[in-house]
Amino acid sequence: MLKKRLIFTLLFSDGYFMLSRNFQLQKVGDIIWLEKNYRFFETSKYIDEIIILNVDKKKRNPLEFGEVVKRVVSKSFIPVTAGGGVKCKEDAAVLFKSGADKILINTLYNSSANDVSSIIKEFGTQAVVCGIDYKKINNLTSVFTNNGQDFLGIELEDYIEKVLNIGVGEIYLNSMEKDGTGQGFDNETIKRISNKVPVPVIAAGGAGKPEHFIDVLSYSTNAAATANLFNFIGGGLKNARKFLIENGIKLPHWDN
Amino acid sequence: MIVIIDYDIGNTHSITQVLEHLGVKYLLTRNKEDILQSDKLILPGVGAFGPAMSKLITYGLDKQIKKAAQNDCFILGICLGMQLLTTVSYEDGKHEGLGLVNGEVKPFNKVIKSSKVPHVGFNSVQNHSGINILPKNHDADFYFTHSYFFSPLENIKTAVTNYEFDFVSAFQKDNVYGVQFHPEKSQSNGINVFKKFMELKC
């Protein structure tokens, strides 16, 4: 039976890992800080996937980011998805060569379907995750791209249909309003979308405590991600995992 | 010497990380002599069958791998690498594989009704045939990410995984092994698969 996944999302910008709240970024620490406070090899034993996103609004150097990806994954033996600023097949290739199993593409799905298609043709649909950031505006769930800066004026479900037509492996669905608040996921929207789409959905935005994961993983949502460095530091992820398993969520089992 | 075949496709970095963790010496190469002299080959693979097969042929690796198999070299195909070892794939058309194991690679969405495609995440592998590099009999969890599955057309050792139906998630035919999952992404379960592969003796 397919298990659910507990995912950690690392937000990276210009040398530092970041904390995000409603898409405002705050510097937390560099890779040394991460290794000291997170000891990634240890922490990665309690999660099922790592997502690393380059959220740098100014420069997006794929080679430099690739080196960060390489370093973060060098001691963890779990799937890694990398993304942020992927504009072409070459950007994607750098990330795969650095150790990424999947890449996450957000803005490109809207700005150039052809480039996304050529990436899919080369690397396979299952290797491409579409990141979608959304926010409720006047009662409509509206999609934003470009780090949450560009309002597309497209409703979430219509946008997802467009994405499905281009081709996609999974959808990373991120609530901009819940982002960083620690008050739980946008269960209503995520449940609605998960039940509707034929591809796996990863819930993102709002995780603050282990209970939040139970709510969101109790139905067809395939995986839940948190980017909250502070809430899950130290033994946080290990405890969350134990709590989820004790409460009936089927997560992968290791002979450790 | 263990050779990881480098043909510009696949997450070779993660595989090399596991081997380094195990303290195993390896070569990441497509050099013909190195391949012919090795006693263990790993064929990684991420992406689409057609482009991957084209790359193997361009580098002359299809011939080398077939020769190595005949020389009783142990071969481990991972994910797309497993699929490439077989006869034919129907991903985006019809593509001939290396033909070391007789069978077809087919899309999930023609067979399963209500589950999502691709099959992504951790699922358990039931090793009923006793394939020696996999855990004995347990329902051990491994990481999968694929939209196509292998259906054998000859009698070989297989392990299965359930995703609406039981599909072949690993096989062994003499010295040729294939795993649909990613052992390099499957925590300690996966590391043990590599360890057992390394310990195989001719």
Side-chain angles (χ1 to χ4, degrees):
Chain A
M1 178 192 49
L2 187 66
K3 313 294 189 299
K4 303 281 180 174
R5 285 172 282 154
L6 181 61
I7 300 179
F8 199 84
T9 302
L10 285 169
L11 303 174
F12 182 81
S13 176
D14 195 22
Y16 287 88
F17 291 96
M18 317 293 273
L19 200 66
S20 174
R21 190 187 169 104
N22 300 131
F23 277 55
Q24 298 304 306
L25 296 172
Q26 178 197 333
K27 255 189 221 177
V28 177
D30 60 10
I31 188 88
I32 314 262
W33 179 93
L34 191 78
E35 284 172 3
K36 186 168 163 222
N37 285 277
Y38 254 69
R39 283 158 53 239
F40 235 72
F41 185 42
E42 270 312 298
T43 308
S44 70
K45 285 186 189 157
Y46 305 105
I47 54 178
D48 306 306
E49 186 167 325
I50 299 169
I51 296 179
I52 311 178
L53 299 179
N54 185 350
V55 295
D56 181 2
K57 285 177 187 172
K58 291 185 198 147
K59 56 168 175 32
R60 303 261 175 114
N61 186 333
L63 292 172
E64 183 191 25
F65 182 57
E67 289 302 309
V68 171
V69 171
K70 244 189 225 177
R71 190 153 169 192
V72 166
V73 310
S74 65
K75 290 244 180 227
S76 57
F77 305 108
I78 52 175
V80 171
T81 300
V86 173
K87 289 189 171 40
C88 57
K89 212 161 60 175
E90 289 67 35
D91 288 347
V94 166
L95 295 178
F96 284 119
K97 206 131 199 194
S98 304
D101 303 280
K102 294 179 273 184
I103 56 168
L104 187 143
I105 299 180
N106 185 328
T107 305
L108 200 66
Y109 262 99
N110 182 61
S111 61
S112 175
N114 283 336
D115 278 295
V116 177
S117 296
S118 87
I119 290 173
I120 287 174
K121 210 169 175 130
E122 180 77 16
F123 299 104
T125 333
Q126 72 285 348
V128 179
V129 177
C130 174
I132 302 178
D133 301 316
Y134 70 92
K135 187 157 69 173
K136 279 197 185 66
I137 296 195
N138 294 333
N139 249 357
L140 285 174
T141 32
S142 305
V143 176
F144 285 73
T145 55
N146 194 13
N147 279 42
Q149 293 175 108
D150 297 347
F151 171 62
L152 292 193
I154 303 177
E155 217 272 326
L156 179 60
E157 289 191 41
D158 294 332
Y159 187 70
I160 290 179
E161 208 173 302
K162 185 179 156 178
V163 167
L164 289 170
N165 284 333
I166 296 170
V168 70
E170 296 171 82
I171 291 176
Y172 182 86
L173 196 55
N174 189 24
S175 161
M176 291 169 65
E177 288 149 309
K178 295 284 191 177
D179 173 53
T181 59
Q183 293 182 349
F185 294 92
D186 177 8
N187 292 311
E188 191 234 309
T189 307
I190 293 170
K191 182 176 185 174
R192 191 178 84 236
I193 301 293
S194 279
N195 284 340
K196 204 171 172 195
V197 303
V199 300
V201 170
I202 302 167
K209 47 186 187 171
E211 286 82 350
H212 295 148
F213 292 114
I214 294 184
D215 296 332
V216 87
L217 290 174
S218 294
Y219 34 89
S220 63
T221 307
N222 195 284
T226 179
N228 198 321
L229 276 171
F230 288 145
N231 278 21
F232 295 98
I233 206 164
L237 286 170
K238 181 177 180 181
N239 293 336
R241 187 180 196 82
K242 189 159 170 272
F243 183 77
L244 287 173
I245 293 171
E246 281 167 0
N247 281 276
I249 300 292
K250 299 259 185 283
L251 293 180
H253 171 75
W254 321 115
D255 292 329
N256 261 331
Chain B
M1 176 61 83
I2 294 117
V3 164
I4 304 172
I5 297 179
D6 181 7
Y7 62 118
D8 297 337
I9 284 190
N11 187 349
T12 52
H13 179 69
S14 296
I15 296 174
T16 60
Q17 290 306 302
V18 177
L19 296 186
E20 285 182 23
H21 174 77
L22 290 171
V24 169
K25 284 201 172 64
Y26 63 87
L27 280 176
L28 175 62
T29 181
R30 48 178 170 262
N31 179 283
K32 296 184 174 96
E33 276 73 46
D34 291 327
I35 292 173
L36 284 177
Q37 281 174 26
S38 74
D39 62 334
K40 293 198 176 82
L41 283 185
I42 294 177
L43 180 63
V46 164
F49 195 101
M53 203 56 213
S54 298
K55 281 255 159 76
L56 284 180
I57 293 170
T58 302
Y59 292 132
L61 292 167
D62 53 328
K63 298 189 176 65
Q64 301 313 314
I65 295 169
K66 287 178 193 175
K67 236 186 249 177
Q70 280 168 353
N71 290 342
D72 288 333
C73 177
F74 289 110
I75 298 178
L76 174 63
I78 296 174
C79 193
L80 180 62
M82 168 206 185
Q83 296 179 355
L84 292 170
L85 296 174
T86 70
T87 330
V88 66
S89 169
Y90 292 97
E91 176 174 2
D92 278 343
K94 185 176 175 182
H95 304 276
E96 228 178 84
L98 294 168
L100 296 183
V101 176
N102 195 4
E104 305 172 315
V105 174
K106 300 188 285 198
F108 266 127
N109 58 19
K110 290 264 156 70
V111 182
I112 65 181
K113 303 279 184 296
S114 56
S115 303
K116 303 200 174 202
V117 179
H119 174 225
V120 178
F122 292 86
N123 204 336
S124 52
V125 172
Q126 281 120 46
N127 185 17
H128 297 308
S129 303
I131 296 174
N132 56 9
I133 63 172
L134 298 184
K136 293 184 175 61
N137 284 333
H138 281 37
D139 284 333
D141 287 324
F142 290 90
Y143 181 71
F144 290 85
T145 175
H146 59 125
S147 307
Y148 294 79
F149 69 97
F150 171 62
S151 189
L153 289 170
E154 63 171 307
N155 205 1
I156 50 177
K157 281 191 178 171
T158 57
V160 299
T161 292
N162 188 275
Y163 194 53
E164 257 185 59
F165 72 105
D166 284 346
F167 70 90
V168 170
S169 46
F171 63 65
Q172 178 192 352
K173 180 184 172 183
D174 303 317
N175 53 320
V176 178
Y177 295 81
V179 294
Q180 180 64 72
F181 52 82
H182 287 272
E184 74 280 14
K185 298 286 153 177
S186 300
Q187 303 270 27
S188 54
N189 289 345
I191 295 173
N192 284 331
V193 169
F194 279 107
K195 190 158 179 277
K196 289 190 185 155
F197 181 68
M198 294 307 143
E199 288 166 356
L200 291 172
K201 287 196 170 43
C202 293

